[in-house]
Amino acid sequence: MRCVHREGGAYNTGSYLHEELWDDLCRVGSGPSDEKLAELTVRESETVPDWMSDHGALWQPPLSGTLHLGRTNRFFLGGGKALLNAYYRTLSAMGVSVAYSSSVEGFIEQEDSITHLVVESGGRRCLVKTRAVVCASGGFEANFDWLARYWGESAYNYLIRGPVYNDGTVLSLLYDHGAARAGQERGFHAVAIDARSPRYDGGIATRIDAIPFSVVLNCHCERFYDEGEDLWPKRYAIWGTNIALQDNQIAYAIWDSKVNREFLPPMYGPVSAMTLSGIAESLGLDSERLVQTVTNFNAAIVPGTTFDATRLDGARTSGLAPEKSNWAQRIDAPPYYAIAMRPGITFTYMGVKVDAKARVMREDGSQFANAFAAGEIMSGNVLSSGYLAGFGLTIGTVWGRIAGEEAARYVNG
Amino acid sequence: MSMVEPAYRYRGDGTPNVLFAEAERQLNICNSCRYCEGYCAVYPALERRTVLNENDIIFLANLCHDCRACLYACMYAPPHEFGVNPPAILAEVRRGTYRTRIPSPARRPRAARRPTLGLTPYLIATLSLAVVALLVAVERGLSSLFRPLDPAGSPYALISYESIVTVSLIITGFSMIVGLSGVVSYWQKARGSMRELFHLVPWMKALRDGATLRYLRGGAEGCYVKETHASPERRLLHYFVSYGFLLCLIATIAAAVEQDILSLSPPFGLGSLPVISGALGGAGLIIGSAGLLRLNATQQVIATDGTMTSMDRYFLIALLVLGATGIVTLVARSLSIYGLVLAVHLSVVWACLILAPYSKFVHFLYRLLALVQDNLERADSSVER
């Protein structure tokens, strides 16, 4: 996660000050949605890691991995599930009971307050009396029908990287009860993932890192975007949308044996063949057109540059639309490799509007007295498009803490 | 947080091909995720590779100390359809290392599928007891098993010094040859160069990490027995077993020194080094192995390979019996049953010595080799950078 820290230490390689995080946030997508709330998030982020440690979180030294985030970001030991396990253990030690495998299916509202929740658990419905409610139930990315309202039929070809439970039920209940919207309806984070991934819950392992070293074609065997635009971590998150906008929401990365060891192999393994027409056949693409596109690509490479995977090497094409502006090499050394990719949706931005106490706001400008929101369901208040690595976790933790404290304050009067 | 019975579950058919294909499938998922790299040496070693062959998988399996932190941290663990479960699949690979890297009849594919050594341990134990009984009968007469010995507590009043030393040396020699040939064959496959095995620096670090049981610390909280429970217990019990064993070894060496160099004959006094270290060592073995047996009985079945669990059980029971008979031998010195107690202890020691290279006993050897290999690889990759 990405937090402000004045100096480096065991878990960060250097300082990352308030101003720098704020600047980074302003450069993302269309920038902060609500400057006041975004600034509050940045300010509160500084004290969040210690709070997490106090509640059982463990950290690990900066990663040696590919994303080069050791200075700005901190990593949980073992990832998100390990963090949640630690939180659940802390809760259980505090005597808090948790109803697993249960869902909220409805609210009962009186005056300004949610007085009861309709909870479904083990096939039974019951009413749970509430004094305060914190909604931290995520976005609606696992609800294809809802996605299709903004993306049309193509939404049904997307894959969802998270669990099937992110279906937006609570979000839609809040809207039904008059909650105001925050964030863009088409705002989401999506990366290129293996087309063979499961429809839900494929997680991080299905992502494809081959793109900077490949040519990427759509189902008509046409290139459609500069594969070498920038260093991969900076461009990692644009490819989900790139592919979502192609016909059939599918694209194909093709590379050859020269670069096959330069990136992590896809978890299901790539398709390989000794000829490009063999690749076309395996992918079910028009062989003639595929070979033509690769031949044109090879012919357009500007001679005299040296391939260097570690930097923007300027090895580019000339005369193509679009060009490939870095890491362009002839694709001519069999065996050839390829992989089919689809957009994998990580999260959605559209949620409910909140005030600085995380209280859910209504369309008419009033607030729910006892309904609070935290995490993805209100992330649209802070950012409404684009992506800053690790900042979703910051939003979730900062606002989880605010919402919890405010809910407790409300209940205790 | 409850871990229900998985929807997906790998079922091996005992053939290496299926096992390694499954291990490769799971480890490729790990290599694409990399969230576990802070837990232990396995994941950084995996990240140094983009392609995995059988020897890589065997290396990673032996580098794994089975703390299980990764399993409980994993979003892909069962019941997720990817069914990632490194502790279980790596334990199954390790079982193959212990079985097939040593020259034994178990090399045959069908025997490799056999869960344990079958009846062999019982046969060996019986044989060992028979040899002891035969020696007693020939040298001192079987009645000496049931009367106080003279001098009290002296083993040589039961079997002659020459017989004990001769049989012990033969068995030790045999076991060391079997064990060492396993080590050599492992290393040849893993690294090729035997010369590298004698580099000092990787060994120093490996011995330090081995002696402190560094990788049984898991993700700082210790090993997981259940999903909700990580604790230092397993590491502490390993200290009891391994240092208890070491103390027993010291007792044996000290006894040999007192007798053959200082010309002191047993029985040694209660305050002597052989008795003190033997008593402490025996106690360590009993506490450690009993504790580990209890821990293994409460572990979640999903987190390990069932056959490895029975290997563990055999090994721990053997250690428990070894420690217990040793302590009883010490206590029963002047009693009329001393002869019998001593005969039983001696046959247990000999049986365990023969079986050691075929049992879970060898695990620390392969773990040490894997640690040395890991240190060599780290040095290689820092040179490349």
Side-chain angles (χ1 to χ4, degrees), chain A residues 14-359:
Chain A
S15 69
Y16 189 49
L17 301 178
H18 189 290
E19 301 73 48
E20 191 182 353
L21 175 49
W22 179 255
D23 289 348
D24 285 343
L25 199 57
C26 292
R27 275 197 292 269
V28 173
S30 44
S33 330
D34 178 326
E35 292 215 352
K36 211 176 102 236
L37 298 185
E39 202 278 332
L40 177 62
T41 313
V42 171
R43 184 153 28 97
E44 288 279 306
S45 77
E46 191 170 353
T47 54
V48 147
D50 284 343
W51 181 89
M52 293 172 75
S53 301
D54 291 344
H55 292 83
L58 293 172
W59 308 92
Q60 67 176 28
L63 280 160
S64 60
T66 49
L67 291 175
H68 309 295
L69 294 165
R71 182 176 67 85
T72 55
N73 289 37
R74 254 181 188 248
F75 291 86
F76 324 127
L77 185 64
K81 186 178 158 195
L83 174 74
L84 285 181
N85 284 346
Y87 280 168
Y88 280 122
R89 276 201 293 271
T90 305
L91 274 181
S92 139
M94 291 165 82
V96 177
S97 58
V98 177
Y100 293 99
S101 306
S102 305
S103 60
V104 171
E105 301 292 339
F107 296 155
I108 294 176
E109 194 189 349
Q110 268 171 19
E111 293 162 17
D112 269 350
S113 298
I114 295 172
T115 57
H116 295 81
L117 301 177
V118 181
V119 175
E120 196 168 299
S121 184
R124 289 173 47 215
R125 279 188 176 224
C126 55
L127 276 184
V128 175
K129 204 172 164 213
T130 58
R131 294 168 72 189
V133 180
V134 176
C135 304
S137 51
F140 61 97
E141 62 271 22
N143 187 330
F144 286 98
D145 294 339
W146 198 342
L147 286 172
R149 279 190 232 158
Y150 317 121
W151 293 90
E153 287 299 303
S154 70
Y156 294 97
N157 282 331
Y158 301 165
L159 299 172
I160 310 307
R161 302 176 79 201
V164 67
Y165 311 112
N166 267 337
D167 58 6
T169 304
V170 172
L171 179 60
S172 109
L173 286 173
L174 286 168
Y175 287 155
D176 291 347
H177 287 259
R181 280 165 204 242
Q184 297 165 9
E185 55 193 24
R186 277 168 71 115
F188 66 34
H189 176 262
V191 303
I193 68 171
D194 198 312
R196 296 164 293 184
S197 308
R199 197 165 193 210
Y200 302 103
D201 216 16
I204 192 174
T206 56
R207 76 190 187 283
I208 299 298
D209 288 346
I211 289 170
F213 310 103
S214 308
V215 290
V216 177
L217 312 184
N218 59 19
C219 63
H220 309 299
C221 295
E222 298 154 346
R223 288 178 59 251
F224 55 90
Y225 198 90
D226 181 355
E227 302 91 342
E229 186 181 42
D230 205 340
L231 289 169
W232 184 232
K234 294 193 184 169
R235 269 303 173 240
Y236 170 66
I238 202 173
W239 278 88
T241 310
N242 283 352
I243 298 170
L245 296 173
Q246 296 306 304
D247 283 351
N248 298 334
Q249 297 70 50
I250 195 161
Y252 306 87
I254 300 168
W255 65 95
D256 69 4
S257 56
K258 288 199 294 290
V259 294
N260 197 35
R261 295 287 187 101
E262 297 284 348
F263 52 88
L264 271 177
M267 71 166 252
Y268 296 105
V271 167
S272 70
M274 291 309 289
T275 60
L276 286 167
S277 42
I279 289 284
E281 199 179 312
S282 309
L283 297 176
L285 293 173
D286 183 317
S287 170
E288 212 170 294
R289 291 168 82 171
L290 184 147
V291 172
Q292 190 58 53
T293 302
V294 175
T295 309
N296 292 347
F297 175 82
N298 286 348
I301 287 166
V302 177
T305 52
T306 319
F307 173 85
D308 181 353
T310 61
R311 60 184 185 89
L312 293 172
D313 66 357
R316 61 188 176 85
T317 59
S318 170
L320 295 180
E323 304 284 6
K324 180 172 179 180
S325 48
N326 287 289
W327 311 296
Q329 290 192 97
R330 292 176 62 86
I331 295 182
D332 59 1
Y336 299 100
Y337 300 93
I339 200 141
M341 306 177 290
R342 289 210 180 269
I345 317 297
T346 320
F347 59 80
T348 48
Y349 272 123
M350 188 181 74
V352 293
K353 203 166 165 11
V354 295
D355 65 11
K357 292 181 169 180
R359 273 186 303 194

Side-chain angles (χ1 to χ4, degrees), chain B residues 74-153:
Chain B
C74 183
M75 68 164 283
Y76 300 122
H80 192 283
E81 63 182 285
F82 289 0
V84 174
N85 188 344
I89 197 76
L90 295 180
E92 195 176 337
V93 173
R94 275 199 300 281
R95 196 218 306 163
T97 307
Y98 305 156
R99 278 276 179 276
T100 60
R101 298 254 161 192
I102 48 181
S104 82
R107 253 195 164 156
R108 292 195 307 272
R110 198 201 286 172
R113 230 180 293 166
R114 210 166 55 194
T116 62
L117 292 171
L119 289 175
T120 316
Y122 303 103
L123 285 175
I124 300 272
T126 312
L127 192 71
S128 180
L129 196 60
V131 169
V132 170
L134 189 72
L135 287 172
V136 173
V138 170
E139 295 183 342
R140 311 284 190 240
L142 279 177
S143 62
S144 56
L145 288 173
F146 307 102
R147 58 178 151 82
L149 298 182
D150 183 33

